[in-house]
Amino acid sequence: MFLSTFELFKIGIGPSSSHTMGPMIAAKRFRDELAGSLPGGVGRVTVTLHGSLAFTGRGHATDRAICLGLLGETPSQLDPDAAEALVAGLRSARRLELGGDARVSFDPDRDIIFDYGPALPGHANGMVFRAFGADDANLLERIFYSIGGGFVASDSELEATRAPGADGARSNVPFPFATAAAMLEMGAESGLSIAAMKRANETASAPVPDLDQGLNRIWAAMAACIERGLTSDGVLPGGLGVRRRAADMHRKLTETNPARQKLPHAEMDTLLSFAMAVNEENAAGGRVVTAPTNGAAGVIPAVLRYYVDQCDGQTSGGVHDFLLTAAAIGGLIKHNASISGAELGCQGEVGSASAMAAAGLCAVLGGTNAQIENAAEIALEHHLGLTCDPVAGLVQVPCIERNGLGAVKAVSACSLALHGDGRHFMPLDNCIAAMRATGQDMSDKYKETSQGGLAVNLPAC
């Protein structure tokens, strides 16, 4: 089993990988197919959102993402500062231009339909794109699912990955581990670290310079996101009136204050500010890196910045090993469970990110493969059962703070693992299986629909 580091870490925009990036990618796919097949006969396009996309789509800017995708934009190439003008232009024109003289009617207020009935059978995040002729005949219909972390699959693609014997990921690599147990066994046999095995898998089909440049690009995007968050104040969009706090928090932490600097938890406060800075940027629709999702985008950058700033002996090679190790763990989780909040709750998002960050930090601090696996298990174990219940469907409350606590747990899990010798009671594979089962048993109202939990328990005042 092989899932590339760059499939897990994708540069895009906020506020959600499942509800923003995924629908934008799906809309772009539909536009491309439409433009390449039958634009002359198409009179109108509609998009129907189902399940979690319907219930929290407006809060997650799903309707805006659909518009941008149908305009030909992609998350990695879109200028976030230009997004509002593009959508406003479409709302005014109420048509899509597909090249040449092909113009198709599309009124976002009318043609994006939020269906609050049962979810589509394939996944909680389903959407149906339809193209109608001048006589209202259905000329083209495509079903797409946004399956977490910016991954998108059509109904046929999703069915193929779930067919008996289907692996769902490439396996023609030197170390095709599909479980943590296999990963540890291959590491013991080869004498290689998890990062080295992951590097060998990545470079089996791409030159080493491409890998290193790609890792540098991912870290640069993460670091830039932290910096933007640490220098931005104001109120986040969406109507809740949530104020940005990371910048003010960081200013207080870095100003000369001997009393504050003596506090033993000052470094944890800094870690919190890093993670919150990223997720405030995400909530504002800024440029972020899925790590492995937008909703959990702050954990890994915060812990990696903690390594770069606070840990002795940090190197660019260490940054690469951190990301490669984190991606190896994330691939196992996605392959054997899910990273989708709509499917497993926030244990699948922040829980996965915390496990990935704990593993990455343990690796660059000298942990053995067994200690790295232990660190990931500790972090994931202590997120089991975590619900996804965003207030008003916005990735703000409790998501921003939750990333900060996920980062703190990651550092603590790493520390616990390094104090041991790698032997522990609960294997990571079993913990991943427990997360999957817990998510399957969890009520849908606690999985990104904003129908339960904190989302419906606001103080009257």
Side-chain angles (χ1 to χ4, degrees):
M1 187 281 296
F2 172 65
L3 188 69
S4 173
T5 300
F6 304 112
E7 292 177 274
L8 282 168
F9 297 133
K10 296 189 286 288
I11 299 173
I13 63 165
S16 171
S17 47
S18 293
H19 291 64
T20 311
M21 289 175 59
M24 192 186 303
I25 292 167
K28 175 64 162 58
R29 284 183 60 176
F30 184 74
R31 174 196 167 91
D32 289 348
E33 182 175 0
L34 197 61
S37 56
L38 35 82
V42 178
R44 181 167 66 99
V45 165
T46 67
V47 186
T48 304
L49 305 175
H50 295 267
S52 178
L53 291 180
F55 283 106
T56 63
R58 287 190 172 89
H60 285 104
T62 304
D63 47 352
R64 185 181 76 156
I66 292 289
C67 291
L68 291 167
L70 289 175
L71 287 169
E73 298 291 337
T74 61
S76 62
Q77 299 298 321
L78 174 69
D79 177 1
D81 295 331
E84 289 305 322
L86 289 169
V87 174
L90 177 58
R91 290 187 183 279
S92 175
R94 289 181 290 185
R95 70 172 183 267
L96 300 169
E97 298 186 7
L98 301 180
D101 296 327
R103 291 177 175 82
V104 176
S105 172
F106 181 74
D107 181 351
D109 295 328
R110 178 195 66 193
D111 295 325
I112 298 178
I113 303 153
F114 293 78
D115 187 324
Y116 300 107
L120 296 179
H123 191 276
N125 291 330
M127 60 202 111
V128 183
F129 292 79
R130 297 182 177 92
F132 297 93
D135 57 356
D136 228 25
N138 192 343
L139 301 179
L140 182 67
E141 179 174 305
R142 291 291 181 264
I143 298 173
F144 291 100
Y145 293 102
S146 181
I147 57 177
F151 290 89
V152 171
S154 67
D155 51 350
S156 58
E157 290 166 348
L158 191 64
E159 184 178 355
T161 64
R162 293 174 174 175
D167 185 70
R170 300 185 297 279
S171 57
N172 56 334
V173 291
F175 302 99
F177 49 82
T179 65
M183 178 180 71
L184 293 176
E185 182 178 349
M186 290 180 190
E189 290 176 352
S190 66
L192 295 176
S193 67
I194 293 170
M197 289 190 290
K198 185 66 174 171
R199 175 174 286 273
N201 287 346
E202 295 283 354
T203 56
S205 58
V208 173
D210 290 351
L211 173 62
D212 290 339
Q213 290 168 13
L215 295 172
N216 288 337
R217 185 169 59 252
I218 292 300
W219 171 229
M222 289 178 171
C225 187
I226 292 174
E227 289 305 319
R228 288 195 307 273
L230 293 179
T231 55
S232 300
D233 295 291
V235 176
L236 293 170
L240 290 182
V242 174
R243 298 194 64 82
R244 289 178 179 255
R245 290 179 289 164
D248 183 61
M249 185 176 180
H250 190 65
R251 281 192 293 268
K252 291 175 180 177
L253 287 166
T254 53
E255 68 185 15
T256 302
N257 187 329
R260 180 177 289 114
Q261 290 170 355
K262 288 181 180 179
L263 292 174
H265 58 267
E267 293 306 330
M268 290 299 100
D269 289 347
T270 301
L271 182 66
L272 284 166
S273 74
F274 293 158
M276 291 173 61
V278 171
N279 282 84
E280 287 174 355
E281 275 298 296
N282 178 63
R287 187 164 300 288
V288 298
V289 178
T290 61
T293 68
N294 282 31
V299 178
I300 289 172
V303 177
L304 187 45
R305 172 75 177 263
Y306 170 82
Y307 162 70
V308 169
D309 285 1
Q310 302 298 329
C311 298
D312 292 336
Q314 64 83 19
T315 64
S316 59
V319 170
H320 295 174
D321 285 349
F322 185 113
L323 292 171
L324 289 168
T325 304
I329 299 301
L332 293 177
I333 294 172
K334 187 179 187 306
H335 179 67
N336 294 298
S338 175
I339 55 173
S340 168
E343 197 168 6
L344 295 187
C346 199
Q347 58 174 354
E349 294 202 42
V350 170
S352 297
S354 188
M356 293 165 67
L361 184 62
C362 188
V364 297
L365 295 185
T368 64
N369 287 351
Q371 288 173 317
I372 292 166
E373 185 261 0
N374 187 15
E377 186 278 326
I378 293 170
L380 187 62
E381 178 180 316
H382 295 289
H383 283 89
L384 291 180
L386 190 61
T387 58
C388 183
D389 45 4
V391 176
L394 298 167
V395 193
Q396 298 180 17
V397 180
C399 317
I400 295 169
E401 290 180 354
R402 188 168 284 175
N403 273 260
L405 273 294
V408 171
K409 283 187 181 181
V411 174
S412 298
C414 168
S415 182
L416 278 173
L418 288 173
H419 279 295
D421 61 4
R423 291 177 294 181
H424 57 106
F425 184 80
M426 182 62 63
L428 176 59
D429 289 327
N430 297 47
C431 192
I432 292 172
M435 182 179 73
R436 183 183 66 244
T438 301
Q440 291 170 344
D441 291 340
M442 191 183 291
S443 168
D444 286 344
K445 69 182 181 180
Y446 299 117
K447 293 190 288 189
E448 215 165 17
T449 60
S450 291
Q451 294 180 295
L454 291 173
V456 297
N457 285 283
L458 293 172
C461 58

